[in-house]
Amino acid sequence: MFDPHFPDADMNFWHNTSELGVAGTGFALPGAPISTPELLAHMEKQFGLECAKRGRIYAEKMNIQHRHIARDLLERREGPREGHSNPDLAAQAIKEALADAGMVVSDLGYIIGHTASPARLIPNNMAFVADKLEYRGPYMELRQACTGFANALAIAYGMLSGPSAKPIAIVGSETGSAYFDPERVKEDAGQLVNLVQMGDAAGAIILVPEGYENKGKLSHSFFGHIGLGREPGFTVLEGGSNAPFTSGDVIEFAHEFGSVRVNGPELFIAGIQASLSIGSGIEDVNHIIPHQANGNMGALMEEHMGMDGSRVFVNAHKRGNTGSAAIWLALAELRKQMVGGETALILGAEATKYLYGGFRYTHGL
């Protein structure tokens, strides 16, 4: 079993142990939750797929019972429904976070977004979020999935350290269901796994510099990777300048499940070791939020990492794997249950090129 008391001396990762104020969090979900039986029955009826039995097996193994989807799945090629685009969800999550913080959008000095499924390649996703919020300030987008939050924090630390710093909103958002092609299920079982595993969502946090009122503290942030020389575990092969023409009717996510199964646990080990080496271990926190890869994360963390599974917060069973939105969504939901002084260790993991990141959150009194 993994022993967290012996960090790898050769680890090379960014970190910052100083504190940032957390003023509010929020999230947005597209439509009502869809159960696995409902989803698979719809796919069989709408597209003539024989997928219910296999799909239920996959979903049961991952313990994903419900998810929210931004499209109606009425047509093979279909974008998000009205009001549930990636920018729509991101803007709504920021609004919820601002309301939690008691702020308005003009209070923000910067917005940082991160996503693997932007509305367009150019302009960046946050340009449309700014339109929807009527936000006149600067913004940026990071093209990153499940650990986008960690790189966004690295940037936010620098921005919030200046003498004239203003609050920053960070938002992670995904509408990856738009990349799903029902016809491909007949050819690639991995696409059926994607269907039952993934969910669409957005999650946001408002960070404030010293001197602003806050409802909690974020500290001990870190970000690194173990992907050197490894083939991506999760990728979009087409649509970039190396392969601008798609061979199919829909650009899709390719998922190397075998590689992820082998390399995935190592990501969490790296995250725990990084956290421990900067003074934030797994034994001195009340809660642990791992990346929400599936609904079994509590049992898996207990089995492979030796931690108490009851301390592991999991929402993937009802939200699915929401990619770039997962950590902020989970933190926003957990904060509603926390009492003053409680702590949480966040352990993000991303299979694209095997990235890890995290931070420590302390709830306000």
Side-chain angles (χ1 to χ4, degrees), residues 27-52:
F27 61 90
L29 299 165
I34 303 173
S35 72
T36 295
E38 289 174 322
L39 177 63
L40 295 171
H42 172 81
M43 298 305 296
E44 290 202 337
K45 179 179 179 181
Q46 191 70 22
F47 298 102
L49 302 177
E50 295 182 3
C51 63

Side-chain angles (χ1 to χ4, degrees), residues 195-207:
L195 174 67
V196 297
Q197 181 182 28
M198 300 300 174
D200 297 329
I205 189 169
I206 308 297
L207 299 175

Side-chain angles (χ1 to χ4, degrees), residues 272-293:
I272 293 171
Q273 290 179 330
S275 181
L276 180 68
S277 71
I278 59 174
S280 180
I282 60 176
E283 298 171 353
D284 57 349
V285 294
N286 302 103
H287 308 278
I288 298 161
I289 300 178
H291 173 60
Q292 302 294 307

Side-chain angles (χ1 to χ4, degrees), residues 114 144-152 223-224 323-324 348-350 352 355-357:
H114 49 95
Q144 195 172 342
C146 310
T147 57
F149 75 92
N151 260 339
F223 174 72
S324 204
E350 179 176 336
T352 57
L355 316 169
Y356 64 90

Side-chain angles (χ1 to χ4, degrees), residues 151-193:
N151 260 339
L153 284 175
I155 296 167
Y157 266 101
M159 289 182 173
L160 290 170
S161 65
S164 59
K166 295 178 65 177
I168 290 176
I170 299 177
V171 60
S173 52
E174 297 292 9
T175 47
S177 65
Y179 294 164
F180 173 72
D181 179 359
E183 291 298 317
R184 287 280 290 134
V185 171
K186 300 174 182 177
E187 307 162 358
D188 180 5
Q191 295 306 315
L192 181 57
V193 177

Side-chain angles (χ1 to χ4, degrees), residues 8 17 24 39 46 60 113 147 150 209 231 236 260 302:
D8 185 346
T17 60
L39 177 63
Q46 191 70 22
E60 287 171 3
T147 57
E231 289 298 313
V236 180
V260 174
E302 183 168 317

